[in-house]
């Protein structure tokens, strides 16, 4: 008999473990969402903020905030945790953008909580764990215009619907669907032309 790979536990179960004080659940949370959050951060910072901010600073700051906020978080479905973390990322980037509009970045954002500091790779220079999957996609996304990039990130990474994204970017649900379809087609062409593509 071949070995069976167990399905990852639902996010709601993972959240219950965190709220019950299971410190190992934080490692599981970090490893489950790390690449997706880092990918979102890198794609949303843009060249101006990337010159002043390091993506890992934003990620660590989001994790630090989540340490306290998740104790009171009540999910409505299994995708709620991922959506919440991505909202945290978006809000953090907006705050950083406002701050850096007035003054230059003075240093990294340290994680003060001892639990956050012991998370896997939390104090290392961050690259993707699954670099083959994310690096080519990140480079391809940078070649899309802003509405296309926002819609692709929202649909694929954050799990938002066309209606939710349409409300966020000021477009109808149908227009958002068309933007997504054009973006996916363009990404397919860009990725097929990338070095090492089959």
């Amino acid at each position: 008999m071949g070995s069976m790979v167990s399905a990852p536990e639902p996010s709601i179960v993972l959240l219950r473990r965190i709220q019950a004080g299971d410190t190992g659940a934080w490692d599981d949370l970090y490893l489950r969402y790390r690449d997706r959050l880092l990918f979102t951060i890198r794609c949303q910072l843009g060249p101006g903020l990337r010159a002043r901010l390091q993506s890992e600073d934003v990620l660590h700051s989001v994790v630090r905030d989540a340490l306290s906020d998740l104790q009171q978080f009540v999910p409505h479905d299994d995708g709620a945790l991922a959506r919440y973390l991505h909202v945290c990322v978006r809000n953090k980037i907006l705050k950083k953008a406002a701050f850096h509009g007035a003054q230059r970045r003075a240093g990294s954002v340290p994680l003060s909580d001892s639990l956050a500091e012991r998370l896997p790779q939390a104090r290392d220079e961050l690259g993707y764990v699954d670099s083959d999957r994310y690096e080519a996609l990140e480079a391809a996304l940078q070649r899309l215009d802003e509405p296309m990039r926002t819609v692709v990130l929202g649909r694929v990474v954050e799990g938002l619907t066309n209606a939710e994204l349409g409300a966020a970017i000021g477009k109808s649900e149908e227009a958002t669907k068309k933007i997504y379809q054009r973006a996916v087609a363009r990404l397919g062409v860009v990725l097929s032309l990338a070095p090492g593509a089959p």
Side-chain angles (χ1 to χ4, degrees):
M1 287 177 59
S3 62
M4 295 185 64
V5 178
S6 60
E9 68 181 333
S11 295
I12 290 176
V13 175
L14 179 58
L15 181 61
R16 285 192 195 119
R17 286 174 52 208
I18 288 170
Q19 292 173 337
D22 180 351
T23 56
W26 281 105
D27 290 354
D28 295 342
L29 173 81
Y30 185 76
L31 291 173
R32 177 178 296 186
Y33 293 107
R34 176 186 178 278
D35 274 1
R36 282 183 277 173
L37 293 174
L38 184 60
F39 177 73
T40 301
I41 291 165
R42 287 182 174 172
C43 291
Q44 289 186 349
L45 280 181
L49 274 179
R50 286 183 80 161
R52 297 183 177 95
L53 278 178
Q54 293 186 14
S55 302
E56 56 266 31
D57 292 347
V58 179
L59 178 63
H60 291 172
S61 188
V62 167
V63 170
R64 183 188 59 202
D65 292 348
L67 289 171
S68 57
D69 294 346
L70 286 183
Q71 292 303 323
Q72 291 79 39
F73 183 70
V74 179
H76 299 292
D77 56 62
D78 198 52
L81 181 57
R83 290 193 299 274
Y84 167 75
L85 291 171
H86 281 92
V87 167
C88 290
V89 164
R90 214 174 302 122
N91 291 340
K92 187 66 65 176
I93 289 172
L94 289 173
K95 287 179 185 175
K96 296 284 187 183
F99 174 80
H100 288 292
Q103 95 186 67
R104 291 184 59 83
R105 179 174 177 267
S108 63
V109 180
L111 284 173
S112 58
D113 191 287
S114 59
L115 178 58
E117 291 192 9
R118 60 170 284 282
L119 288 171
Q121 301 184 24
R123 289 181 288 180
D124 297 336
E125 184 70 22
L126 285 185
Y128 295 114
V129 174
D130 187 358
S131 59
D132 290 343
R133 179 180 179 192
Y134 285 97
E135 285 175 357
L137 187 54
E138 181 186 338
L141 272 174
Q142 294 304 324
R143 297 180 63 178
L144 298 180
D145 61 31
E146 185 60 33
M148 285 185 173
R149 188 163 53 247
T150 299
V151 169
V152 169
L153 284 171
R155 280 284 305 274
V156 177
V157 182
E158 300 182 41
L160 299 175
T161 65
N162 286 324
E164 291 168 327
L165 282 164
I169 65 172
K171 301 280 187 184
S172 69
E173 182 176 355
E174 187 59 31
T176 304
K177 181 179 178 182
K178 288 178 181 175
I179 291 171
Y180 176 71
Q181 290 169 340
R182 287 196 302 271
V184 169
R186 190 169 297 176
L187 279 175
V189 171
V190 171
L191 288 170
S192 70
L193 298 174

